[in-house]
Amino acid sequence: MSQGSLQITLLHTNDMHSHLEAMSQLSTFARQQRADLEAEGRQVFFFDAGDAADRRMRFCGVTKGAAFPRILKAMNYDLQTLGNAISITYGLQAASEMARRAAYPVLAANLFEGGRPLVAGFQPTMQYRLRGNITLGVIGLTVHAPHLYDLFGVHVPDYRDTARRWVEQFTRQGIRPIVVVSHLGIREDRLLAEAVPEIDVIIGGHSHTLLPEGEWVNGVLIAQAGNYAEGLGRVDLALNPLTGAVLSASATALSIPVDTPP
């Protein structure tokens, strides 16, 4: 821990795909972790990097995903990035309805172009005020599948261009640190880190990758927690309390103890 620094923790999941029993245990574990971390004086956020829902779960399929946001709300998530399980299976109208029913922000900055939403119901970014007048900026990027979205008449901008524009805007506003919550996949996350090194952290999904201690690419920390609610990701950041600059960062993938109650 850096002396005099601002301490925050980002808890995160990805690709849970409606494994409800495992999700109920993860929910208990995440609440315990959050309570312990907040007792230490840390500010804590809980993000999902997409595909928490899955069409193979009956109530999810019947409602085209619209019933699922209540589960994530009950798990105390602060935000989610749009995955592909609902949008590409049932269409962007279904994904839009799912986002509309969510009591938390659903991000998809690359479903926006020229500042206008290509699909209703989503937000490109979120900002969180931290202690000391510091603001955390979060950018959400959904899967880059222009050949599929073309079927719905939607043009999807390049995720690197989208991220770069938002990073530049955040920088002009003095917003830092900058976190991307991505459902792009590990290959695209690495390409994004190479293209936009001003990003501090990428929390990823889509490729179901387990990064036990994260991965550093071009000075950007990439974190991903596997799949099926079998693990909880944790990113710890020490920030300059005056500027929000990241002084140190680490990532861990925590296994859910088998005796965790649902």
Side-chain angles (χ1 to χ4, degrees):
M1 181 180 295
S2 300
Q3 189 68 30
S5 60
L6 179 62
Q7 304 291 318
I8 71 168
T9 294
L10 311 175
L11 300 176
H12 61 93
T13 55
N14 58 277
D15 302 291
M16 294 187 289
H17 285 282
S18 293
H19 284 241
L20 294 185
E21 184 175 347
M23 289 171 68
S24 69
Q25 289 185 295
L26 185 148
S27 181
T28 299
F29 184 65
R31 287 175 188 273
Q32 294 169 342
Q33 289 286 312
R34 189 169 197 166
D36 291 345
L37 290 163
E38 288 176 343
E40 296 173 6
R42 306 184 72 92
Q43 287 186 265
V44 183
F45 300 90
F46 193 17
F47 300 154
D48 181 71
D51 278 3
D54 193 287
R55 65 187 181 278
R56 288 169 289 190
M57 178 60 65
R58 184 172 181 271
F59 79 85
C60 188
V62 167
T63 65
K64 298 182 179 179
F68 213 83
R70 299 174 104 180
I71 293 175
L72 294 192
K73 176 61 177 175
M75 294 175 73
N76 271 358
Y77 280 92
D78 293 300
L79 64 75
Q80 181 187 39
T81 284
L82 175 67
N84 59 278
I86 299 301
S87 59
I88 291 178
T89 302
Y90 299 115
L92 291 170
Q93 299 91 335
S96 181
E97 178 64 13
M98 184 174 66
R100 189 186 67 79
R101 289 172 176 264
Y104 47 84
V106 181
L107 306 188
N110 51 338
L111 289 181
F112 283 66
E113 189 171 30
R116 299 185 305 277
L118 298 173
V119 181
F122 302 104
Q123 298 177 212
T125 65
M126 271 295 291
Q127 299 176 23
Y128 295 97
R129 181 58 59 90
L130 307 179
R131 301 186 188 103
N133 208 32
I134 300 301
T135 300
L136 165 68
V138 183
I139 304 165
L141 295 173
T142 191
V143 63
H144 185 64
H147 58 295
L148 294 174
Y149 287 131
D150 281 348
L151 299 174
F152 303 104
V154 172
H155 167 64
V156 180
D158 186 273
Y159 61 94
R160 288 160 292 197
D161 294 339
T162 299
R164 188 178 293 108
R165 285 196 298 271
W166 278 109
V167 167
E168 289 172 353
Q169 180 168 324
F170 279 168
T171 301
R172 287 194 299 270
Q173 294 175 308
I175 294 172
R176 196 171 180 193
I178 298 173
V179 174
V180 170
V181 183
S182 149
H183 198 75
L184 293 167
I186 189 63
R187 175 182 174 274
E188 286 75 10
D189 286 344
R190 290 166 177 159
L191 293 172
L192 177 60
E194 291 287 355
V196 192
E198 296 84 2
I199 296 168
D200 293 299
V201 179
I202 298 172
I203 291 173
H206 186 52
S207 56
H208 296 220
T209 306
L210 177 62
L211 298 174
E213 296 181 347
E215 177 178 305
W216 288 92
V217 175
N218 201 24
V220 179
L221 177 59
I222 301 174
Q224 198 173 149
N227 55 21
Y228 307 144
E230 294 172 353
L232 176 68
R234 171 177 167 175
V235 172
D236 292 325
L237 301 176
L239 308 178
N240 183 310
L242 299 178
T243 67
V246 175
L247 304 175
S248 66
S250 63
T252 311
L254 306 171
S255 297
I256 312 301
V258 294
D259 60 348
T260 301

